[in-house]
Structure formats: C-alpha cells, structure tokens
C-alpha cells in the first residue's frame, strides 16, 4: 500500500475518533439521541427514496433521450438537484427567525424557481450550441457498422 493512502486513511480514522470523542464528552445524551434519529432518517430517505429515484431517472433518460442531448439533460438535472437540496432547508425555515435575520425573510421558493429556470435555460443553450456546431461541421463518411449509432443522434 502506498504511503499517501496510509496517511489519508490514518488521518481519516484519527479525525473520526476525535469526532466521536467530542460527541461523547461534550454533547448531552438527549441531543445524541436526536442526532441518531436524524441520521437514521437520512439513511432511510436516501436509500428508500432518493437512490431509487435517481436510478429510475437515469434508466429512463438512457432509453428515451438521444446520446447527443443526454449529457446536457443529465448535467441540468444534477445541477438542479444540488441547488434544490441546498434550498429545501431554507424554504422550510423561511420566516421562522426574527426580522433582524434577513436571510430567513427571503422568498426562497421564488428564488429556487428562478435558479432552476436558469439551469434549464443554460442546459438548453449548451445543447443548442452543440447541435449548431455538429450541423456546421463536415461529417466524415460513416461505414455501415456505425450508421445505426449515428442515426439515433
């Protein structure tokens, strides 16, 4: 095993042990129970809802979207998903803080809609540029074995 792998593994194990020590010595037991329940809920949501949804979406896209457009759709969905994951806690806590905390007074639902629209527009624009470039570029002759693959584009 290489030295850098051993160093990274050792660092990770030591940081994990330090974190567990801090949790055990500085966090009240009730908070640890809430943390454990939250972690269990996160695993259930991830493994029971998010992962199957991502796999089903990927399966559907692979079968229904032509290869040329697939990467732009996948990129837009990944970016939109990441933005949504960041925005959901803010949407849920919107208006819960005092007026002095202006961050929680914004219209996060509206802002999320605007951002998702920009991501979709960016994906469509990039796809349109790709189509235009492919249309302008001279295509080399295609032998019959590859003709079917290019016909799907």
């Amino acid at each position: 095993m290489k030295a850098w792998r051993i160093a990274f593994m050792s660092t990770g194990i030591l940081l994990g042990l330090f974190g567990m020590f801090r949790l055990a010595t500085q966090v009240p037991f009730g908070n640890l129970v809430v943390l454990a329940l939250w972690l269990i809920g996160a695993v259930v949501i991830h493994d029971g809802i998010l992962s199957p949804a991502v796999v089903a979406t990927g399966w559907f896209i692979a079968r229904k979207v032509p290869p040329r457009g697939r990467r732009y759709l996948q990129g837009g969905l990944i970016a939109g998903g990441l933005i949504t994951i960041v925005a959901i806690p803010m949407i849920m806590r919107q208006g819960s803080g005092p007026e002095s905390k202006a961050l929680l007074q914004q219209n996060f639902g509206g802002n999320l809609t605007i951002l998702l629209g920009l991501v979709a527009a960016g994906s469509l624009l990039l796809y349109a540029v790709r189509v235009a470039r492919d249309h302008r570029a001279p295509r080399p002759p295609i032998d019959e074995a590859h003709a079917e693959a290019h016909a799907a584009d």
Side-chain angles (χ1 to χ4, degrees):
M1 191 176 296
K2 296 189 181 209
W4 64 269
R5 287 185 78 179
I6 293 171
F8 279 126
M9 286 185 344
S10 300
T11 303
I13 290 169
L14 288 173
L15 286 172
L17 290 172
F18 176 70
M20 289 191 306
F21 170 76
R22 295 280 301 227
L23 282 173
T25 59
Q26 296 185 355
V27 176
F29 182 74
N31 289 355
L32 289 176
V33 171
V34 170
L35 175 63
L37 291 174
W38 186 90
L39 289 172
I40 291 169
V43 168
V44 167
I45 289 171
H46 179 272
D47 292 353
I49 298 171
L50 292 177
S51 289
V54 168
V55 169
T57 303
W59 177 85
F60 180 78
I61 289 172
R63 275 145 190 80
K64 300 295 182 186
V65 178
R68 180 169 58 182
R70 189 178 308 147
R71 72 184 69 171
Y72 301 101
L73 179 59
Q74 289 172 334
L77 289 173
I78 290 169
L82 293 172
I83 291 169
T84 302
I85 286 172
V86 170
I88 285 174
M90 301 303 282
I91 290 170
M92 293 178 68
R93 293 193 61 198
Q94 184 174 349
S96 65
E99 292 292 325
S100 62
K101 290 190 176 183
L103 182 63
L104 294 177
Q105 303 301 324
Q106 297 179 24
N107 181 4
F108 291 107
N111 293 343
L112 175 62
T113 303
I114 292 169
L115 280 174
L116 292 178
L118 289 171
V119 167
S123 295
L124 285 172
L125 178 66
L126 290 171
Y127 177 67
V129 168
R130 168 71 189 265
V131 169
R133 282 185 182 168
D134 287 351
H135 187 58
R136 279 190 286 146
R139 290 190 143 177
I142 300 172
D143 62 357
E144 289 182 26
H146 294 102
E148 290 180 7
H150 288 283
D153 284 347

